[in-house]
Amino acid sequence: MSYIANEQRYSNMVYNKCGNSGLKLPAISLGLWQNYGENKSLDNMRAMLQRAFDLGITHFDLANNYGPPYGSAEENFGRILNSDLKAYRDELIISTKAGFDMWPGPYGDWGSKKYLVSSLDQSLKRMGLEYVDIYYHHRFDPETPLEETMSALDLIVKQGKALYVGLSNYGAEETKKAAQILKKLGTPCLIHQPSYSMVNRWIEDGLQDVLTEEGIGTIAFWPLAMGLLTDKYLNGIPEDSRAADNSWVKSGITEDKVAKVKLLNEIAKERGQSMAQLAIAWVLRRGLVTSALIGASRVSQIEENVATVNNLHFSDEELARIEDILK
Ligand SMILES: NC(=O)c1ccc[n+]([C@@H]2O[C@H](COP(=O)([O-])OP(=O)(O)OC[C@H]3O[C@@H](n4cnc5c(N)ncnc54)[C@H](OP(=O)(O)O)[C@@H]3O)[C@@H](O)[C@H]2O)c1
């Protein structure tokens, strides 16, 4: 059956202005890093993307190498875009990135103009798009002059292949320099995509200040610490979890951390929220983060996570208790 979007899709989601730009992003965006590769069910991907859009999620985040194999998340997203979401293209903010390893040889990794321009051409083909809304450099490249990487981003915008550009995983100093170069080129940096959560607060040591000063939006990835900051691991590691599939994720689910999540979960309950909702609301608490970029393996998680917007306010006392637990 062909998909028709929910008419009420804009009635509950919160939209935040992205830095100094005129673009608004949903407080909760959906990333396709996991669960959109060749090894996953297309029906489930389709159901998740439809439900997300029906709930007001207008922003979908990809990268050239999401899969596995690399490129397959963009291909699967392109399929679903074509079958279901094509009529809504002007209501969508679609991002992709290049910066990590993508193809063999010296031109398929890092930050050269050669890599960034050719990778975006490939991404557009895989998704069946004429342009992306946001194109990111995925990580800082110490060997390529920042001027070259930023002029590649500027070129791509001037060619009409991306509307806006962003940086991901750049440190505070690198971001400041890159933002200044982009400003001079006439293509301001729209957004930065760093990791950020209750258990990963590195952006509070300088990067967030730079982003605020420069008028750059912040979209926080890993707000749920890949599932740790949900009720999923409170009583062991369930079979249908990312940690059961991935030993690196599993190594992050320690007794120590789970004990803290149990305490945080008590605060969530008092607020009438789930643990995941508390973690997402916390990332958004100061009004500095434009959007929390979540992942999900099933529709019910998207529904639960989107319902976070029903309670984004924290009292000073709640924030102090959370700080005590996180110490
Ligand atoms: N720029 C970068 O370098 C970078 C790096 C990583 C990610 N990202 C972006 O960030 C996005 C999110 O990353 P992520 O998926 O790792 O982050 P996350 O939101 O911290 O974790 C998502 C995972 O948590 C579990 N989960 C989500 N909601 C839940 C709920 N309500 N209850 C129980 N479990 C829940 C699911 O795991 P199960 O599979 O166990 O159900 C889900 O796959 C990516 O898709 C990508 O777009 C960017």
Side-chain angles (χ1 to χ4, degrees):
M1 265 220 332
S2 59
Y3 165 74
I4 296 174
N6 174 10
E7 282 184 13
Q8 300 303 313
R9 60 191 175 279
Y10 295 116
S11 60
N12 203 38
M13 177 56 75
V14 169
Y15 296 91
N16 296 319
K17 214 159 113 54
C18 190
N20 285 349
S21 79
L23 187 74
K24 286 182 176 173
L25 290 180
I28 293 159
S29 301
L30 183 66
L32 280 69
W33 175 43
Q34 304 281 309
N35 303 309
Y36 291 82
E38 235 175 52
N39 52 344
K40 302 283 173 164
S41 139
L42 195 67
D43 285 346
N44 189 45
M45 298 173 203
R46 198 171 169 210
M48 289 198 288
L49 291 173
Q50 288 181 358
R51 191 71 182 125
F53 188 57
D54 278 345
L55 291 170
I57 294 186
T58 49
H59 178 30
F60 298 110
D61 180 69
L62 293 107
N64 56 356
N65 61 358
Y66 289 177
Y70 291 174
S72 59
E74 287 181 332
E75 278 169 9
N76 285 325
F77 179 72
R79 272 188 197 115
I80 297 164
L81 193 64
N82 190 44
S83 61
D84 298 1
L85 293 169
K86 209 159 59 189
Y88 306 99
R89 174 65 184 97
D90 293 340
E91 296 180 48
L92 297 175
I93 298 298
I94 300 167
S95 57
T96 194
K97 324 181 186 79
F100 284 93
D101 62 304
M102 182 59 196
W103 64 85
Y107 318 120
D109 201 351
W110 294 103
S112 67
K113 181 178 275 189
K114 170 77 176 164
Y115 175 39
L116 263 61
V117 170
S118 43
S119 182
L120 179 56
D121 285 342
Q122 294 179 15
S123 291
L124 292 174
K125 232 180 252 163
R126 282 190 289 266
M127 292 190 279
L129 289 172
E130 284 169 14
Y131 70 95
V132 290
D133 297 278
I134 307 171
Y135 191 49
Y136 286 96
H137 188 218
H138 212 157
R139 63 169 160 174
F140 174 71
D141 175 359
E143 286 189 9
T144 298
L146 259 182
E147 286 77 7
E148 174 174 340
T149 309
M150 296 309 117
S151 79
L153 295 178
D154 170 60
L155 172 71
I156 281 161
V157 168
K158 294 195 167 132
Q159 288 175 332
K161 294 177 186 171
L163 300 184
Y164 301 94
V165 298
L167 307 171
S168 181
N169 300 306
Y170 274 54
E173 276 309 304
E174 299 151 356
T175 300
K176 203 174 182 120
K177 284 187 195 145
Q180 280 159 3
I181 298 168
L182 283 171
K183 215 176 272 171
K184 275 199 200 128
L185 291 168
T187 299
C189 179
L190 173 79
I191 193 163
H192 192 299
Q193 187 177 127
S195 59
Y196 183 52
S197 75
M198 283 172 155
V199 292
N200 169 14
R201 298 175 68 168
W202 72 278
I203 70 170
E204 293 175 10
D205 295 332
L207 177 64
Q208 186 61 72
D209 288 343
V210 170
L211 299 180
T212 306
E213 279 160 29
E214 298 286 333
I216 298 172
T218 309
I219 180 161
F221 74 82
W222 286 346
L224 302 172
M226 292 184 276
L228 170 72
L229 295 171
T230 71
D231 57 12
K232 169 160 258 166
Y233 299 111
L234 295 181
N235 301 300
I237 297 189
E239 260 177 41
D240 60 345
S241 64
R242 200 185 290 184
D245 262 6
N246 181 316
S247 54
W248 174 63
V249 176
K250 192 174 181 179
S251 68
I253 316 288
T254 60
E255 259 178 54
D256 235 33
K257 287 182 190 160
V258 172
K260 287 189 176 192
V261 178
K262 283 184 177 162
L263 295 174
L264 293 168
N265 194 35
E266 291 308 309
I267 298 180
K269 281 188 202 156
E270 287 170 31
R271 287 167 53 83
Q273 284 186 317
S274 69
M275 182 57 223
Q277 290 169 343
L278 177 79
I280 294 168
W282 183 89
V283 158
L284 297 166
R285 74 200 179 284
R286 293 190 296 169
L288 299 174
V289 169
T290 317
S291 185
L293 178 54
I294 61 151
S297 61
R298 62 207 75 174
V299 167
S300 59
Q301 292 175 351
I302 293 173
E303 290 168 342
E304 178 183 329
N305 298 349
V306 166
T308 303
V309 301
N310 298 331
N311 185 7
L312 291 172
H313 176 76
F314 285 91
S315 68
D316 291 343
E317 193 236 336
E318 282 171 335
L319 288 174
R321 283 171 64 202
I322 292 169
E323 286 298 330
D324 254 9
I325 295 169
L326 295 177
K327 259 198 270 179

